[in-house]
Amino acid sequence: MRAFVMEGIGRTGFAEKPIPVPGARDAIVKTSHALICTSDTHTVRGAIGERSGLTLGHEAVGIVSAIGSDVARFAVGDRVVVGAITPDWGDLASQAGHPSQSGQPLGGWKFANVKDGVFAEHFHVNEADANMAHIPESVSNEAAVYCADMMSTGFAAAENGDIPIGGTVAVFAVGPVGLMAVAGARLRGAGLIVAVDADPERLELARHFGADVTVDIRLEDPVARIVALTGGVDCAIEALGNDEAFGNCIRATRAGGTISNVGYHGSGEFVRIPREAWGVGMAEKTIRTALCPGGRLRLERLLRLLEAKRIDPTPLTTHDFAFDEMPEAFAMMDAKSDGVIKPLIVF
Ligand SMILES: [Zn+2]
């Protein structure tokens, strides 16, 4: 089968690989649709070190093409979405309520990290009964694929933000995860949502997903605007992964509020905290972090939102590519050219 791989830091290309074989509790899925993630481009740039011949990608839906002998809930031919994060459910971190961290920190992140990812004609799913979900008939592949990572991660940002009903939220950077964080904040009952970015089109889309106020950082100081509007938000969401956005989250949050980080801090040795805005360590500002939650329960809850039409994530798809066009699609995502938000890959 064909796979799109990281050949080495800075290099990608197609490779021929054998179709994977399931273990007793695993499944193999024939890929139907996939999304490229900014974290795939971080990986190729070297954020998690050298990888040689590893298949990229972690957001996909498809049809079950093989199952292990102990898989109970799925059969060959089922249409499924697979979590980007596929935890080991027997691990102690899972039992402690942190399945994404099973095995080791970020250990639930297997696709395109420690095993081949989903940019291939088939891919392997560990613990299939726990790590994938049936897609309801009324939900399209094009929508369901957003459950794998974007909705799960963006909504986790809002869930971790401990947003009071009617509370105030600022989302720093409205790329696809930030946009889903805006949507998640609305679903959680926020009373005022401020979206911050430097891209007018993304800010417009943030309004579509529920932002009440948008701040273009090229035109004004986001912290000054947010503090003037709210006196400091109940929750600031960091959905970018850099020092400036992280620092602004600390500055924009009221004493006692929550900073919810889902940004991927992909470079540098330390993440800096602005000391005075942090109340010199005593302002009771909570910093929470999350990796995309995995698991069938999570996926089924997200799919329920699609089935009930509480949200439609498909406006995030700005471009469609055939699998053959992966190199062009990947280069576009890396350069963030042509106003790309999410490129959808059709197999
Ligand atoms: Zn992703």
Side-chain angles (χ1 to χ4, degrees), residues 35-40 58-59 84 148-150 153 177 342:
L35 293 162
I36 303 179
C37 188
T38 299
S39 56
D40 294 309
H58 54 263
E59 304 179 24
D149 184 356
M150 296 297 97
T153 303
V177 167
K342 289 294 270 190

PDB file of all heavy atoms in Angstrom, residues 35-40 58-59 84 148-150 153 177 342, ligand 1:
ATOM      1  N   LEU A  35      -7.304  14.538   7.560  1.00  0.00           N
ATOM      2  CA  LEU A  35      -6.989  15.964   7.623  1.00  0.00           C
ATOM      3  C   LEU A  35      -5.521  16.130   7.983  1.00  0.00           C
ATOM      4  O   LEU A  35      -5.002  15.392   8.826  1.00  0.00           O
ATOM      5  CB  LEU A  35      -7.839  16.650   8.694  1.00  0.00           C
ATOM      6  CG  LEU A  35      -9.345  16.733   8.431  1.00  0.00           C
ATOM      7  CD1 LEU A  35     -10.091  17.022   9.738  1.00  0.00           C
ATOM      8  CD2 LEU A  35      -9.656  17.810   7.392  1.00  0.00           C
ATOM      9  N   ILE A  36      -4.873  17.102   7.357  1.00  0.00           N
ATOM     10  CA  ILE A  36      -3.505  17.430   7.769  1.00  0.00           C
ATOM     11  C   ILE A  36      -3.582  18.377   8.953  1.00  0.00           C
ATOM     12  O   ILE A  36      -4.442  19.260   9.007  1.00  0.00           O
ATOM     13  CB  ILE A  36      -2.714  18.089   6.629  1.00  0.00           C
ATOM     14  CG1 ILE A  36      -2.686  17.173   5.398  1.00  0.00           C
ATOM     15  CG2 ILE A  36      -1.277  18.397   7.084  1.00  0.00           C
ATOM     16  CD1 ILE A  36      -1.951  17.768   4.209  1.00  0.00           C
ATOM     17  N   CYS A  37      -2.684  18.180   9.927  1.00  0.00           N
ATOM     18  CA  CYS A  37      -2.659  18.974  11.151  1.00  0.00           C
ATOM     19  C   CYS A  37      -1.362  19.769  11.184  1.00  0.00           C
ATOM     20  O   CYS A  37      -0.320  19.304  10.707  1.00  0.00           O
ATOM     21  CB  CYS A  37      -2.723  18.025  12.339  1.00  0.00           C
ATOM     22  SG  CYS A  37      -2.937  18.828  13.929  1.00  0.00           S
ATOM     23  N   THR A  38      -1.421  20.947  11.798  1.00  0.00           N
ATOM     24  CA  THR A  38      -0.187  21.715  11.971  1.00  0.00           C
ATOM     25  C   THR A  38       0.850  20.906  12.734  1.00  0.00           C
ATOM     26  O   THR A  38       2.052  21.039  12.487  1.00  0.00           O
ATOM     27  CB  THR A  38      -0.490  23.042  12.688  1.00  0.00           C
ATOM     28  OG1 THR A  38      -1.400  23.782  11.875  1.00  0.00           O
ATOM     29  CG2 THR A  38       0.765  23.863  12.909  1.00  0.00           C
ATOM     30  N   SER A  39       0.398  20.037  13.641  1.00  0.00           N
ATOM     31  CA  SER A  39       1.390  19.254  14.394  1.00  0.00           C
ATOM     32  C   SER A  39       2.139  18.277  13.481  1.00  0.00           C
ATOM     33  O   SER A  39       3.293  17.940  13.754  1.00  0.00           O
ATOM     34  CB  SER A  39       0.763  18.540  15.590  1.00  0.00           C
ATOM     35  OG  SER A  39      -0.283  17.722  15.210  1.00  0.00           O
ATOM     36  N   ASP A  40       1.530  17.845  12.360  1.00  0.00           N
ATOM     37  CA  ASP A  40       2.298  17.052  11.388  1.00  0.00           C
ATOM     38  C   ASP A  40       3.470  17.870  10.844  1.00  0.00           C
ATOM     39  O   ASP A  40       4.570  17.349  10.649  1.00  0.00           O
ATOM     40  CB  ASP A  40       1.404  16.624  10.210  1.00  0.00           C
ATOM     41  CG  ASP A  40       0.307  15.648  10.610  1.00  0.00           C
ATOM     42  OD1 ASP A  40       0.630  14.637  11.261  1.00  0.00           O
ATOM     43  OD2 ASP A  40      -0.864  15.890  10.257  1.00  0.00           O
ATOM     44  N   HIS A  58      -2.718  11.833  11.763  1.00  0.00           N
ATOM     45  CA  HIS A  58      -3.400  11.249  12.922  1.00  0.00           C
ATOM     46  C   HIS A  58      -4.894  11.565  12.952  1.00  0.00           C
ATOM     47  O   HIS A  58      -5.558  11.267  13.932  1.00  0.00           O
ATOM     48  CB  HIS A  58      -2.722  11.723  14.227  1.00  0.00           C
ATOM     49  CG  HIS A  58      -2.633  13.218  14.315  1.00  0.00           C
ATOM     50  ND1 HIS A  58      -1.501  13.911  13.958  1.00  0.00           N
ATOM     51  CD2 HIS A  58      -3.534  14.143  14.666  1.00  0.00           C
ATOM     52  CE1 HIS A  58      -1.711  15.201  14.098  1.00  0.00           C
ATOM     53  NE2 HIS A  58      -2.946  15.381  14.527  1.00  0.00           N
ATOM     54  N   GLU A  59      -5.423  12.182  11.890  1.00  0.00           N
ATOM     55  CA  GLU A  59      -6.850  12.528  11.874  1.00  0.00           C
ATOM     56  C   GLU A  59      -7.485  11.836  10.670  1.00  0.00           C
ATOM     57  O   GLU A  59      -7.223  12.229   9.535  1.00  0.00           O
ATOM     58  CB  GLU A  59      -7.018  14.049  11.750  1.00  0.00           C
ATOM     59  CG  GLU A  59      -6.298  14.827  12.854  1.00  0.00           C
ATOM     60  CD  GLU A  59      -6.445  16.343  12.715  1.00  0.00           C
ATOM     61  OE1 GLU A  59      -7.417  16.800  12.095  1.00  0.00           O
ATOM     62  OE2 GLU A  59      -5.567  17.058  13.229  1.00  0.00           O
ATOM     63  N   ALA A  84      -7.303  10.671  17.298  1.00  0.00           N
ATOM     64  CA  ALA A  84      -5.899  10.992  17.022  1.00  0.00           C
ATOM     65  C   ALA A  84      -5.005  10.426  18.121  1.00  0.00           C
ATOM     66  O   ALA A  84      -3.863  10.048  17.890  1.00  0.00           O
ATOM     67  CB  ALA A  84      -5.716  12.504  16.932  1.00  0.00           C
ATOM     68  N   ALA A 148     -11.715  13.479  15.358  1.00  0.00           N
ATOM     69  CA  ALA A 148     -10.454  12.812  15.693  1.00  0.00           C
ATOM     70  C   ALA A 148      -9.554  13.695  16.550  1.00  0.00           C
ATOM     71  O   ALA A 148      -8.939  13.218  17.510  1.00  0.00           O
ATOM     72  CB  ALA A 148      -9.725  12.390  14.416  1.00  0.00           C
ATOM     73  N   ASP A 149      -9.500  14.982  16.195  1.00  0.00           N
ATOM     74  CA  ASP A 149      -8.566  15.857  16.902  1.00  0.00           C
ATOM     75  C   ASP A 149      -9.134  17.264  17.113  1.00  0.00           C
ATOM     76  O   ASP A 149      -9.219  17.741  18.254  1.00  0.00           O
ATOM     77  CB  ASP A 149      -7.241  15.915  16.121  1.00  0.00           C
ATOM     78  CG  ASP A 149      -6.149  16.720  16.810  1.00  0.00           C
ATOM     79  OD1 ASP A 149      -6.406  17.316  17.863  1.00  0.00           O
ATOM     80  OD2 ASP A 149      -5.018  16.753  16.288  1.00  0.00           O
ATOM     81  N   MET A 150      -9.550  17.938  16.056  1.00  0.00           N
ATOM     82  CA  MET A 150      -9.873  19.371  16.151  1.00  0.00           C
ATOM     83  C   MET A 150     -10.990  19.660  17.150  1.00  0.00           C
ATOM     84  O   MET A 150     -10.853  20.517  18.021  1.00  0.00           O
ATOM     85  CB  MET A 150     -10.254  19.926  14.768  1.00  0.00           C
ATOM     86  CG  MET A 150      -9.140  19.875  13.758  1.00  0.00           C
ATOM     87  SD  MET A 150      -7.698  20.880  14.178  1.00  0.00           S
ATOM     88  CE  MET A 150      -6.610  19.683  14.918  1.00  0.00           C
ATOM     89  N   THR A 153      -9.833  18.399  20.771  1.00  0.00           N
ATOM     90  CA  THR A 153      -8.830  19.261  21.399  1.00  0.00           C
ATOM     91  C   THR A 153      -9.403  20.644  21.703  1.00  0.00           C
ATOM     92  O   THR A 153      -9.217  21.179  22.804  1.00  0.00           O
ATOM     93  CB  THR A 153      -7.600  19.384  20.483  1.00  0.00           C
ATOM     94  OG1 THR A 153      -7.091  18.077  20.224  1.00  0.00           O
ATOM     95  CG2 THR A 153      -6.519  20.232  21.120  1.00  0.00           C
ATOM     96  N   VAL A 177      -7.799  24.632  15.854  1.00  0.00           N
ATOM     97  CA  VAL A 177      -8.054  24.272  17.257  1.00  0.00           C
ATOM     98  C   VAL A 177      -8.670  25.456  17.997  1.00  0.00           C
ATOM     99  O   VAL A 177      -9.634  25.305  18.755  1.00  0.00           O
ATOM    100  CB  VAL A 177      -6.764  23.787  17.952  1.00  0.00           C
ATOM    101  CG1 VAL A 177      -6.955  23.722  19.462  1.00  0.00           C
ATOM    102  CG2 VAL A 177      -6.365  22.416  17.415  1.00  0.00           C
ATOM    103  N   LYS A 342      -7.832  23.987   7.104  1.00  0.00           N
ATOM    104  CA  LYS A 342      -7.602  22.533   7.108  1.00  0.00           C
ATOM    105  C   LYS A 342      -7.698  21.992   5.682  1.00  0.00           C
ATOM    106  O   LYS A 342      -8.717  22.191   5.005  1.00  0.00           O
ATOM    107  CB  LYS A 342      -8.631  21.811   7.986  1.00  0.00           C
ATOM    108  CG  LYS A 342      -8.456  22.021   9.474  1.00  0.00           C
ATOM    109  CD  LYS A 342      -7.186  21.417  10.045  1.00  0.00           C
ATOM    110  CE  LYS A 342      -7.358  20.011  10.509  1.00  0.00           C
ATOM    111  NZ  LYS A 342      -6.155  19.542  11.292  1.00  0.00           N
TER     112      LYS A 342
HETATM  113 ZN    ZN B   1      -4.086  17.031  14.692  1.00  0.00          ZN
END
